[in-house]
Amino acid sequence: MQYGPAVRRRKLGAELRALRARAGLTSGEAARLVGWHQSKVSRIETGRSGVKPADVRRLLDAYDVRDPELHELLVVLAGSDDDGRHHWWHAYRGLLPATYSDFISLESQAGAMRTLENSVVPGLLQTPEYAREVTRAAVGGAHDGRVDALVEVLVKVRLARQDVLRSNTPLRLSAVLDEAVLRRTVGGPEVMARQLERLREAAHLPHVRIQVLPFGVGAHVGVTGPFVIFSFTNRSDLDVVVLDHLTSSLYLERREDLQSYEEAFNSLQGLALSPGDTLDFIAGVADGA
């Protein structure tokens, strides 16, 4: 796990294995070209071992891969900071579940994120006060020194994640929010008022698209639960679906799974209010309508 989440290790390994085969090399021949043991190449290709960005470059040179975009993408999958998004979450490695670190890592490198939320505002759009209330509920809600300290750390992490929306090449975020997200009072009226205002502000960003799914649409495919789709620039075969559970997260990589969730998200966007109507709807909720 040192150089990236398991899902990315497997994808990187599969890409490197395909490039080696395209170069007409066995794993033993590839290992000799870069001065390694054959077992190291095998571990990397099967995703059992992490790989440093410098080692990825050595393999790509050995395979005569000259596509600069492919070079950049595979180095990023290895855990590179070349795009300026530093692995700041490593400082919290002992406090964050491995699946959450994996999620943040994917979020920090993806080009786009599509998300359905049925209960709470997505983390990237939460105010500090709202994030604090949601986090406290998630860790049990008790007030004592130890729990309070953990809540503050997790809130700090959640707010730091929002930098992906403010970078030079920001994450493109498309969010479909069930009406329940707006109606559920988290932290009291004042907290919700600030949170609704934050949603309206975010909706005006050119790389953020927010749509509300009103109660009136009735049953829909999203009632099965929230999900996130991460997409990587110019490489649809690296896209990942993430499903959150109470104690873990499930990462789906198969093409048929991705297609099903992409179709579901497109369907939900079609049912939801337009971005313009969504702004009016949020304003109405804020005014007590």
Side-chain angles (χ1 to χ4, degrees):
M1 300 298 291
Q2 184 176 2
Y3 298 107
V7 64
R8 293 165 69 197
R9 284 209 319 268
R10 290 194 297 270
K11 288 183 175 293
L12 175 59
E15 286 288 320
L16 291 173
R17 182 170 62 251
L19 291 170
R20 173 180 59 75
R22 193 177 306 162
L25 298 170
T26 66
S27 58
E29 290 169 339
R32 285 192 292 273
L33 282 174
V34 294
W36 298 343
H37 193 278
Q38 186 270 341
S39 62
K40 179 174 180 177
V41 174
S42 295
R43 289 196 305 272
I44 290 171
E45 291 184 351
T46 56
R48 292 177 304 181
S49 174
V51 54
K52 297 178 181 179
D55 287 342
V56 170
R57 294 188 184 96
R58 292 177 67 184
L59 289 172
L60 294 178
D61 288 343
Y63 302 158
D64 196 28
V65 177
R66 302 181 183 183
D67 182 346
E69 290 186 354
L70 183 56
H71 258 268
E72 180 182 358
L73 176 63
L74 296 185
V75 168
V76 163
L77 283 179
S80 168
D81 286 328
D82 289 350
D83 66 352
R85 295 174 181 170
H86 299 291
H87 295 177
W88 52 266
W89 59 92
H90 286 181
Y92 304 97
R93 188 180 292 123
L95 295 171
L96 303 180
T99 52
Y100 190 26
S101 295
D102 289 358
F103 185 92
I104 297 172
S105 182
L106 286 169
E107 185 178 72
S108 72
Q109 303 295 350
M113 173 179 173
R114 288 165 284 178
T115 182
L116 165 71
E117 281 291 352
N118 292 331
S119 299
V120 297
V121 172
L124 293 183
L125 301 176
Q126 293 178 5
T127 65
E129 298 84 2
Y130 185 99
R132 190 168 290 108
E133 294 295 329
V134 169
T135 303
R136 182 170 297 283
V139 300
H143 277 278
D144 64 47
R146 187 165 54 92
V147 172
D148 289 345
L150 177 60
V151 167
E152 290 307 311
V153 168
L154 294 176
V155 169
K156 184 176 181 179
V157 169
R158 183 163 299 191
L159 297 179
R161 285 172 45 203
Q162 297 178 3
D163 284 346
V164 296
L165 297 178
R166 298 187 287 265
S167 67
N168 292 331
T169 54
L171 180 76
R172 299 186 306 279
L173 174 63
S174 296
V176 173
L177 310 181
D178 191 275
E179 183 177 342
V181 172
L182 309 182
R183 299 290 184 186
R184 177 171 287 103
T185 303
V186 174
E190 291 185 2
V191 170
M192 281 307 299
R194 286 192 291 271
Q195 180 58 71
L196 293 174
E197 179 60 28
R198 168 72 178 123
L199 286 176
R200 285 189 284 182
E201 292 172 355
H204 285 97
L205 296 173
H207 51 281
V208 174
R209 179 185 178 94
I210 299 175
Q211 294 178 257
V212 167
L213 199 60
F215 290 146
V217 303
H220 54 78
V221 67
V223 298
T224 57
F227 60 86
V228 173
I229 306 172
F230 286 119
S231 299
F232 293 84
T233 305
N234 300 325
R235 298 289 300 193
S236 62
D237 55 326
L238 296 178
D239 293 358
V240 181
V241 174
V242 185
L243 308 178
D244 267 334
H245 303 289
L246 181 62
T247 59
S248 64
S249 297
L250 179 64
Y251 292 80
L252 304 179
E253 309 167 65
R254 296 189 310 165
R255 185 65 254 173
E256 51 266 43
D257 290 329
L258 286 162
Q259 183 174 349
S260 294
Y261 278 92
E262 287 171 347
E263 290 174 353
F265 191 81
N266 291 339
S267 172
L268 292 167
Q269 282 191 310
L271 291 172
L273 299 175
S274 69
D277 289 342
T278 288
L279 279 171
D280 294 338
F281 191 91
I282 294 174
V285 173
D287 290 339

